[in-house]
PDB file of all heavy atoms in Angstrom:
ATOM      1  N   ASN A  50     -28.301  14.803  21.919  1.00  0.00           N
ATOM      2  CA  ASN A  50     -29.085  15.536  21.065  1.00  0.00           C
ATOM      3  C   ASN A  50     -30.483  15.733  21.457  1.00  0.00           C
ATOM      4  O   ASN A  50     -31.203  14.753  21.739  1.00  0.00           O
ATOM      5  CB  ASN A  50     -29.096  14.868  19.671  1.00  0.00           C
ATOM      6  CG  ASN A  50     -29.696  15.753  18.499  1.00  0.00           C
ATOM      7  OD1 ASN A  50     -29.841  16.906  18.689  1.00  0.00           O
ATOM      8  ND2 ASN A  50     -30.141  15.062  17.464  1.00  0.00           N
ATOM      9  N   VAL A  51     -31.016  16.956  21.640  1.00  0.00           N
ATOM     10  CA  VAL A  51     -32.320  17.272  21.936  1.00  0.00           C
ATOM     11  C   VAL A  51     -33.084  17.853  20.800  1.00  0.00           C
ATOM     12  O   VAL A  51     -32.540  18.794  20.216  1.00  0.00           O
ATOM     13  CB  VAL A  51     -32.441  18.286  23.165  1.00  0.00           C
ATOM     14  CG1 VAL A  51     -33.853  18.575  23.571  1.00  0.00           C
ATOM     15  CG2 VAL A  51     -31.625  17.617  24.421  1.00  0.00           C
ATOM     16  N   TRP A  52     -34.180  17.283  20.374  1.00  0.00           N
ATOM     17  CA  TRP A  52     -34.907  17.753  19.205  1.00  0.00           C
ATOM     18  C   TRP A  52     -35.405  19.110  19.437  1.00  0.00           C
ATOM     19  O   TRP A  52     -35.833  19.500  20.517  1.00  0.00           O
ATOM     20  CB  TRP A  52     -35.993  16.795  18.881  1.00  0.00           C
ATOM     21  CG  TRP A  52     -35.569  15.411  18.389  1.00  0.00           C
ATOM     22  CD1 TRP A  52     -34.248  15.022  18.287  1.00  0.00           C
ATOM     23  CD2 TRP A  52     -36.354  14.490  17.772  1.00  0.00           C
ATOM     24  NE1 TRP A  52     -34.197  13.768  17.706  1.00  0.00           N
ATOM     25  CE2 TRP A  52     -35.484  13.399  17.395  1.00  0.00           C
ATOM     26  CE3 TRP A  52     -37.699  14.277  17.657  1.00  0.00           C
ATOM     27  CZ2 TRP A  52     -36.000  12.196  16.863  1.00  0.00           C
ATOM     28  CZ3 TRP A  52     -38.190  13.174  17.020  1.00  0.00           C
ATOM     29  CH2 TRP A  52     -37.260  12.111  16.601  1.00  0.00           C
ATOM     30  N   LYS A  53     -35.610  19.910  18.310  1.00  0.00           N
ATOM     31  CA  LYS A  53     -36.188  21.229  18.421  1.00  0.00           C
ATOM     32  C   LYS A  53     -37.627  21.070  18.664  1.00  0.00           C
ATOM     33  O   LYS A  53     -38.311  20.125  18.120  1.00  0.00           O
ATOM     34  CB  LYS A  53     -35.968  22.000  17.119  1.00  0.00           C
ATOM     35  CG  LYS A  53     -34.544  22.352  16.853  1.00  0.00           C
ATOM     36  CD  LYS A  53     -34.428  23.155  15.631  1.00  0.00           C
ATOM     37  CE  LYS A  53     -32.991  23.666  15.344  1.00  0.00           C
ATOM     38  NZ  LYS A  53     -32.829  24.445  14.087  1.00  0.00           N
ATOM     39  N   GLY A  54     -38.189  21.967  19.563  1.00  0.00           N
ATOM     40  CA  GLY A  54     -39.641  21.871  19.826  1.00  0.00           C
ATOM     41  C   GLY A  54     -39.964  20.960  20.939  1.00  0.00           C
ATOM     42  O   GLY A  54     -41.071  20.710  21.291  1.00  0.00           O
ATOM     43  N   LYS A  55     -38.896  20.392  21.605  1.00  0.00           N
ATOM     44  CA  LYS A  55     -39.208  19.553  22.703  1.00  0.00           C
ATOM     45  C   LYS A  55     -39.822  20.279  23.912  1.00  0.00           C
ATOM     46  O   LYS A  55     -39.375  21.368  24.197  1.00  0.00           O
ATOM     47  CB  LYS A  55     -37.849  18.895  23.198  1.00  0.00           C
ATOM     48  CG  LYS A  55     -37.895  18.029  24.434  1.00  0.00           C
ATOM     49  CD  LYS A  55     -38.737  16.812  24.224  1.00  0.00           C
ATOM     50  CE  LYS A  55     -38.854  15.948  25.528  1.00  0.00           C
ATOM     51  NZ  LYS A  55     -40.003  15.110  25.410  1.00  0.00           N
ATOM     52  N   LYS A  56     -40.821  19.762  24.561  1.00  0.00           N
ATOM     53  CA  LYS A  56     -41.510  20.432  25.566  1.00  0.00           C
ATOM     54  C   LYS A  56     -40.675  20.316  26.876  1.00  0.00           C
ATOM     55  O   LYS A  56     -40.480  19.238  27.468  1.00  0.00           O
ATOM     56  CB  LYS A  56     -42.878  19.759  25.860  1.00  0.00           C
ATOM     57  CG  LYS A  56     -43.800  19.958  24.697  1.00  0.00           C
ATOM     58  CD  LYS A  56     -45.156  19.296  24.915  1.00  0.00           C
ATOM     59  CE  LYS A  56     -46.032  19.559  23.713  1.00  0.00           C
ATOM     60  NZ  LYS A  56     -47.299  18.843  23.937  1.00  0.00           N
ATOM     61  N   MET A  57     -40.072  21.477  27.166  1.00  0.00           N
ATOM     62  CA  MET A  57     -39.192  21.613  28.366  1.00  0.00           C
ATOM     63  C   MET A  57     -39.686  22.663  29.367  1.00  0.00           C
ATOM     64  O   MET A  57     -40.610  23.438  29.047  1.00  0.00           O
ATOM     65  CB  MET A  57     -37.838  22.001  27.767  1.00  0.00           C
ATOM     66  CG  MET A  57     -37.206  21.026  26.795  1.00  0.00           C
ATOM     67  SD  MET A  57     -36.544  19.596  27.609  1.00  0.00           S
ATOM     68  CE  MET A  57     -35.024  20.309  28.213  1.00  0.00           C
ATOM     69  N   PRO A  58     -39.060  22.744  30.515  1.00  0.00           N
ATOM     70  CA  PRO A  58     -39.427  23.779  31.328  1.00  0.00           C
ATOM     71  C   PRO A  58     -39.062  25.074  30.793  1.00  0.00           C
ATOM     72  O   PRO A  58     -38.130  25.223  30.098  1.00  0.00           O
ATOM     73  CB  PRO A  58     -38.552  23.490  32.660  1.00  0.00           C
ATOM     74  CG  PRO A  58     -38.245  22.037  32.583  1.00  0.00           C
ATOM     75  CD  PRO A  58     -38.111  21.695  31.095  1.00  0.00           C
ATOM     76  N   GLY A  59     -39.699  26.202  31.211  1.00  0.00           N
ATOM     77  CA  GLY A  59     -39.391  27.523  30.751  1.00  0.00           C
ATOM     78  C   GLY A  59     -40.436  28.565  31.161  1.00  0.00           C
ATOM     79  O   GLY A  59     -41.293  28.317  31.982  1.00  0.00           O
ATOM     80  N   HIS A  60     -40.286  29.725  30.580  1.00  0.00           N
ATOM     81  CA  HIS A  60     -41.152  30.876  30.814  1.00  0.00           C
ATOM     82  C   HIS A  60     -42.585  30.545  30.338  1.00  0.00           C
ATOM     83  O   HIS A  60     -42.779  30.096  29.174  1.00  0.00           O
ATOM     84  CB  HIS A  60     -40.627  32.085  30.214  1.00  0.00           C
ATOM     85  CG  HIS A  60     -41.339  33.306  30.556  1.00  0.00           C
ATOM     86  ND1 HIS A  60     -42.408  33.887  29.831  1.00  0.00           N
ATOM     87  CD2 HIS A  60     -41.263  34.110  31.698  1.00  0.00           C
ATOM     88  CE1 HIS A  60     -42.886  34.874  30.485  1.00  0.00           C
ATOM     89  NE2 HIS A  60     -42.254  35.111  31.598  1.00  0.00           N
ATOM     90  N   MET A  61     -43.540  30.859  31.166  1.00  0.00           N
ATOM     91  CA  MET A  61     -44.939  30.598  30.868  1.00  0.00           C
ATOM     92  C   MET A  61     -45.748  31.854  30.977  1.00  0.00           C
ATOM     93  O   MET A  61     -45.711  32.520  32.035  1.00  0.00           O
ATOM     94  CB  MET A  61     -45.454  29.460  31.770  1.00  0.00           C
ATOM     95  CG  MET A  61     -46.876  29.115  31.521  1.00  0.00           C
ATOM     96  SD  MET A  61     -47.265  27.735  32.675  1.00  0.00           S
ATOM     97  CE  MET A  61     -49.035  27.635  32.436  1.00  0.00           C
ATOM     98  N   GLY A  62     -46.560  32.207  30.034  1.00  0.00           N
ATOM     99  CA  GLY A  62     -47.439  33.386  30.043  1.00  0.00           C
ATOM    100  C   GLY A  62     -46.817  34.600  29.425  1.00  0.00           C
ATOM    101  O   GLY A  62     -45.663  34.535  28.972  1.00  0.00           O
ATOM    102  N   GLN A  63     -47.598  35.730  29.342  1.00  0.00           N
ATOM    103  CA  GLN A  63     -47.240  36.951  28.730  1.00  0.00           C
ATOM    104  C   GLN A  63     -46.868  36.831  27.327  1.00  0.00           C
ATOM    105  O   GLN A  63     -45.948  37.516  26.835  1.00  0.00           O
ATOM    106  CB  GLN A  63     -46.126  37.610  29.597  1.00  0.00           C
ATOM    107  CG  GLN A  63     -46.529  38.163  30.848  1.00  0.00           C
ATOM    108  CD  GLN A  63     -45.390  38.920  31.600  1.00  0.00           C
ATOM    109  OE1 GLN A  63     -44.331  38.446  31.519  1.00  0.00           O
ATOM    110  NE2 GLN A  63     -45.742  40.090  32.072  1.00  0.00           N
ATOM    111  N   GLU A  64     -47.550  36.083  26.536  1.00  0.00           N
ATOM    112  CA  GLU A  64     -47.277  36.010  25.109  1.00  0.00           C
ATOM    113  C   GLU A  64     -48.242  37.015  24.387  1.00  0.00           C
ATOM    114  O   GLU A  64     -49.285  37.359  24.907  1.00  0.00           O
ATOM    115  CB  GLU A  64     -47.630  34.616  24.454  1.00  0.00           C
ATOM    116  CG  GLU A  64     -46.752  33.538  25.086  1.00  0.00           C
ATOM    117  CD  GLU A  64     -47.336  32.719  26.148  1.00  0.00           C
ATOM    118  OE1 GLU A  64     -48.512  33.029  26.529  1.00  0.00           O
ATOM    119  OE2 GLU A  64     -46.713  31.855  26.741  1.00  0.00           O
ATOM    120  N   LYS A  65     -47.712  37.481  23.319  1.00  0.00           N
ATOM    121  CA  LYS A  65     -48.452  38.403  22.440  1.00  0.00           C
ATOM    122  C   LYS A  65     -49.266  37.647  21.445  1.00  0.00           C
ATOM    123  O   LYS A  65     -48.679  36.739  20.763  1.00  0.00           O
ATOM    124  CB  LYS A  65     -47.585  39.463  21.766  1.00  0.00           C
ATOM    125  CG  LYS A  65     -48.288  40.431  20.936  1.00  0.00           C
ATOM    126  CD  LYS A  65     -47.385  41.354  20.159  1.00  0.00           C
ATOM    127  CE  LYS A  65     -46.795  42.344  21.169  1.00  0.00           C
ATOM    128  NZ  LYS A  65     -45.926  43.323  20.487  1.00  0.00           N
ATOM    129  N   ARG A  66     -50.600  37.910  21.388  1.00  0.00           N
ATOM    130  CA  ARG A  66     -51.470  37.144  20.380  1.00  0.00           C
ATOM    131  C   ARG A  66     -51.927  38.237  19.373  1.00  0.00           C
ATOM    132  O   ARG A  66     -52.286  39.336  19.759  1.00  0.00           O
ATOM    133  CB  ARG A  66     -52.609  36.524  21.135  1.00  0.00           C
ATOM    134  CG  ARG A  66     -52.233  35.536  22.198  1.00  0.00           C
ATOM    135  CD  ARG A  66     -51.836  34.291  21.584  1.00  0.00           C
ATOM    136  NE  ARG A  66     -51.555  33.344  22.691  1.00  0.00           N
ATOM    137  CZ  ARG A  66     -50.528  32.484  22.624  1.00  0.00           C
ATOM    138  NH1 ARG A  66     -49.667  32.569  21.705  1.00  0.00           N
ATOM    139  NH2 ARG A  66     -50.337  31.647  23.563  1.00  0.00           N
ATOM    140  N   ILE A  67     -52.042  37.749  18.130  1.00  0.00           N
ATOM    141  CA  ILE A  67     -52.518  38.639  17.096  1.00  0.00           C
ATOM    142  C   ILE A  67     -53.735  37.957  16.340  1.00  0.00           C
ATOM    143  O   ILE A  67     -53.544  36.762  15.872  1.00  0.00           O
ATOM    144  CB  ILE A  67     -51.461  38.946  16.092  1.00  0.00           C
ATOM    145  CG1 ILE A  67     -50.349  39.759  16.711  1.00  0.00           C
ATOM    146  CG2 ILE A  67     -52.013  39.765  14.894  1.00  0.00           C
ATOM    147  CD1 ILE A  67     -49.146  40.015  15.867  1.00  0.00           C
ATOM    148  N   LEU A  68     -54.856  38.579  16.299  1.00  0.00           N
ATOM    149  CA  LEU A  68     -55.956  38.119  15.494  1.00  0.00           C
ATOM    150  C   LEU A  68     -56.125  39.019  14.301  1.00  0.00           C
ATOM    151  O   LEU A  68     -56.264  40.212  14.434  1.00  0.00           O
ATOM    152  CB  LEU A  68     -57.236  38.120  16.370  1.00  0.00           C
ATOM    153  CG  LEU A  68     -57.280  37.206  17.490  1.00  0.00           C
ATOM    154  CD1 LEU A  68     -58.547  37.348  18.266  1.00  0.00           C
ATOM    155  CD2 LEU A  68     -57.168  35.766  17.028  1.00  0.00           C
ATOM    156  N   ARG A  69     -56.208  38.572  13.097  1.00  0.00           N
ATOM    157  CA  ARG A  69     -56.222  39.354  11.932  1.00  0.00           C
ATOM    158  C   ARG A  69     -57.596  39.256  11.264  1.00  0.00           C
ATOM    159  O   ARG A  69     -58.284  38.272  11.244  1.00  0.00           O
ATOM    160  CB  ARG A  69     -55.202  38.909  10.887  1.00  0.00           C
ATOM    161  CG  ARG A  69     -53.759  39.057  11.442  1.00  0.00           C
ATOM    162  CD  ARG A  69     -52.732  38.634  10.381  1.00  0.00           C
ATOM    163  NE  ARG A  69     -51.374  38.527  10.951  1.00  0.00           N
ATOM    164  CZ  ARG A  69     -50.642  39.636  11.090  1.00  0.00           C
ATOM    165  NH1 ARG A  69     -51.069  40.823  10.783  1.00  0.00           N
ATOM    166  NH2 ARG A  69     -49.432  39.506  11.581  1.00  0.00           N
ATOM    167  N   GLY A  70     -57.901  40.432  10.631  1.00  0.00           N
ATOM    168  CA  GLY A  70     -59.084  40.409   9.722  1.00  0.00           C
ATOM    169  C   GLY A  70     -60.508  40.390  10.535  1.00  0.00           C
ATOM    170  O   GLY A  70     -61.343  39.780   9.979  1.00  0.00           O
TER     171      GLY A  70
END
Side-chain angles (χ1 to χ4, degrees):
N50 185 20
V51 178
W52 288 8
K53 290 182 179 179
K55 175 67 182 157
K56 294 180 178 179
M57 299 284 283
H60 187 265
M61 181 177 171
Q63 285 184 316
E64 295 96 3
K65 185 183 282 189
R66 302 282 185 222
I67 298 175
L68 296 176
R69 298 184 187 277

